[in-house]
Amino acid sequence: MIMAKLCIVLILIIVSTNVMADKRSVAIVIHGGAGTIVKEKMTASIESEYRQALTDAVKAGYKVLQTGGDSTQAVIAAITLMEDSPLFNAGKGSVFTHDGKNEMDASIMEGNHLEAGSVAGVSRIKNPIQLAYRIMQNSPHVILAGKGAERFAAQENIEFVDPAYFYTERRWQQLQKLLLEDAQSGKAGDQKSNYKNRHSTRLSEDAGDGFDDHKFGTVGAVALDQYGHIAAGTSTGGMTNKRFGRVGDSPIIGAGTYADDESCGISATGHGEYFIRAVVAHDICARVRYKGISLQRGADEVIMDKLVKMRGEGGVIGIDPQGNVVFSFNTKGMYRAAIDVTGTLTVAIFK
Ligand code: ASP
């Protein structure tokens, strides 16, 4: 009898430990862009501002996961904070188009039943990631663009702001610098041939701001919740000086964002045209699934090999179903942070 009772107590302890272990196995990883981010060019105070913003965002997402929220809500919480920060090229800190406007793209995907929502070219939506989520939830479509997307947003009571909200002096000066460079190199008069040359257009923060002359400031998050579901999201202002309603990889499912509970979740940042043609996010997950390789290896194969051969710059963050968190980038740095399955916080910027 005593033995039987002891056995029951033992079983209960094992079961409850497993439940607790399951509950603990949540993880989140975020990025705030990749590029030539080198310590020598960054002041200590700017570095600490970035570190603080990354820490706040990753903790906001983690809190959702810890309190039983799902991975989608965790991704939205982390990205919303980064969109509200002027530091990153998304939401408030978005870069300017050639015409001096801000046109934002964002997407979100859920790995349990491959649902996705995405928005491109919006100029008045405070938090494009929240609109992407509503498109996934409340519309029969995956991608909505421009005015139509804003009409849908109004119907959904999404928060609108005056376009002036997105003005930041730093981004404005980046555009002025590029316009001047274009004019000086005589390209302004020949927009067509200039625009055809991929390397003559500049990406998000390529214009430089004194501490960093070549980086991409898009934001993204990937999370694994206690229910075993992975979600990924990405939000961006795109490239400085972009024209003609250009859409990058961030709202393209499979390029800038992908999530599948069977393989991985990925959010990318970098030169969008390359990420689209290399179908980066999906390719990484497909390699994991079909080749049976680790997520780190799959990500490195695509970022360090495939993309490098194409001369595409950037990086990704990802999570696999076991909660392994990965970073991979072929640039000098990537703003990044994670809280892994053991609850350990990592915040890093440089290689
Ligand atoms: N991938 C983004 C785009 O091409 C830029 C970035 O990551 O900063 O629109």
Side-chain angles (χ1 to χ4, degrees):
M1 189 62 185
I2 291 178
M3 275 309 277
K5 275 188 182 163
L6 269 177
C7 276
I8 289 169
V9 169
L10 207 61
I11 288 167
L12 282 177
I13 289 173
I14 291 169
V15 168
S16 67
T17 317
N18 275 339
V19 168
M20 277 166 61
D22 272 343
K23 283 210 162 172
R24 277 201 305 269
S25 59
V26 298
I28 179 161
V29 56
I30 64 169
H31 71 77
T36 308
I37 308 167
V38 284
K39 202 171 174 72
E40 305 79 66
K41 286 193 178 175
M42 194 179 273
T43 66
S45 82
I46 288 173
E47 181 181 338
S48 85
E49 268 184 56
Y50 272 101
R51 285 184 181 277
Q52 192 57 54
L54 289 166
T55 305
D56 293 347
V58 80
K59 282 189 173 167
Y62 190 69
K63 193 172 162 204
V64 172
L65 297 171
Q66 262 191 323
T67 51
D70 65 24
S71 48
T72 306
Q73 293 309 322
V75 162
I76 292 172
I79 292 183
T80 298
L81 266 195
M82 289 190 282
E83 285 178 337
D84 289 345
S85 162
L87 292 176
F88 305 104
N89 172 22
K92 170 72 186 152
S94 289
V95 298
F96 284 92
T97 66
H98 184 74
D99 300 326
K101 300 202 172 100
N102 307 96
E103 291 174 0
M104 288 146 283
D105 306 331
S107 66
I108 191 155
M109 182 161 186
E110 290 182 334
N112 48 345
H113 24 240
L114 309 184
E115 292 283 354
S118 160
V119 59
V122 287
S123 297
R124 297 188 299 146
I125 304 299
K126 181 166 179 274
N127 294 105
I129 193 67
Q130 294 181 10
L131 179 53
Y133 172 70
R134 293 294 182 84
I135 292 167
M136 173 173 77
Q137 288 294 100
N138 297 345
S139 91
H141 308 299
V142 172
I143 308 182
L144 297 183
K147 292 212 158 51
E150 293 187 352
R151 268 209 326 272
F152 175 76
Q155 218 173 280
E156 291 287 315
N157 292 322
I158 288 278
E159 187 174 353
F160 276 69
V161 285
D162 187 281
Y165 166 80
F166 299 105
Y167 182 91
T168 56
E169 186 60 21
R170 173 184 168 207
R171 302 296 189 198
W172 181 251
Q173 290 311 329
Q174 288 177 344
L175 174 66
Q176 301 318 308
K177 191 169 174 241
L178 284 185
L179 292 176
L180 190 69
E181 274 178 28
D182 272 1
Q184 279 169 348
S185 62
K187 286 171 183 162
D190 185 7
Q191 285 201 356
K192 195 173 170 204
S193 61
N194 177 32
Y195 210 72
K196 274 192 84 173
N197 180 354
R198 282 191 190 106
H199 298 284
S200 77
T201 60
R202 301 300 181 82
L203 299 163
S204 46
E205 303 187 34
D206 204 4
D209 51 16
F211 64 87
D212 172 15
D213 56 12
H214 194 150
K215 72 173 189 289
F216 313 94
T218 292
V219 307
V222 185
L224 171 72
D225 62 30
Q226 61 175 285
Y227 317 105
H229 299 317
I230 298 173
T234 311
S235 181
T236 188
M239 336 181 342
T240 302
N241 204 18
K242 65 182 180 180
R243 285 181 239 186
F244 311 127
R246 178 265 188 189
V247 173
D249 60 312
S250 308
I252 308 295
I253 299 303
T257 302
Y258 195 72
D260 181 352
D261 284 0
E262 304 287 322
S263 53
C264 69
I266 295 286
S267 170
T269 175
H271 195 149
E273 279 68 11
Y274 293 84
F275 280 65
I276 292 170
R277 290 184 292 119
V279 202
V280 166
H282 181 265
D283 193 9
I284 293 169
C285 293
R287 284 169 197 249
V288 168
R289 188 155 181 189
Y290 305 141
K291 292 171 89 176
I293 57 177
S294 71
L295 176 56
Q296 187 67 61
R297 178 137 175 239
D300 289 344
E301 281 184 3
V302 173
I303 300 298
M304 306 299 206
D305 186 36
K306 181 180 180 181
L307 216 52
V308 166
K309 285 180 184 147
M310 294 168 71
R311 298 179 59 210
E313 289 179 289
V316 293
I317 52 168
I319 288 186
D320 69 13
Q322 290 72 46
N324 294 306
V325 160
V326 308
F327 308 101
S328 183
F329 50 98
N330 62 28
T331 48
K332 293 223 165 100
M334 180 162 83
Y335 295 110
R336 59 200 188 276
I339 300 180
D340 67 14
V341 288
T342 68
T344 308
L345 167 74
T346 311
V347 183
I349 298 177
F350 315 106
K351 197 143 220 166

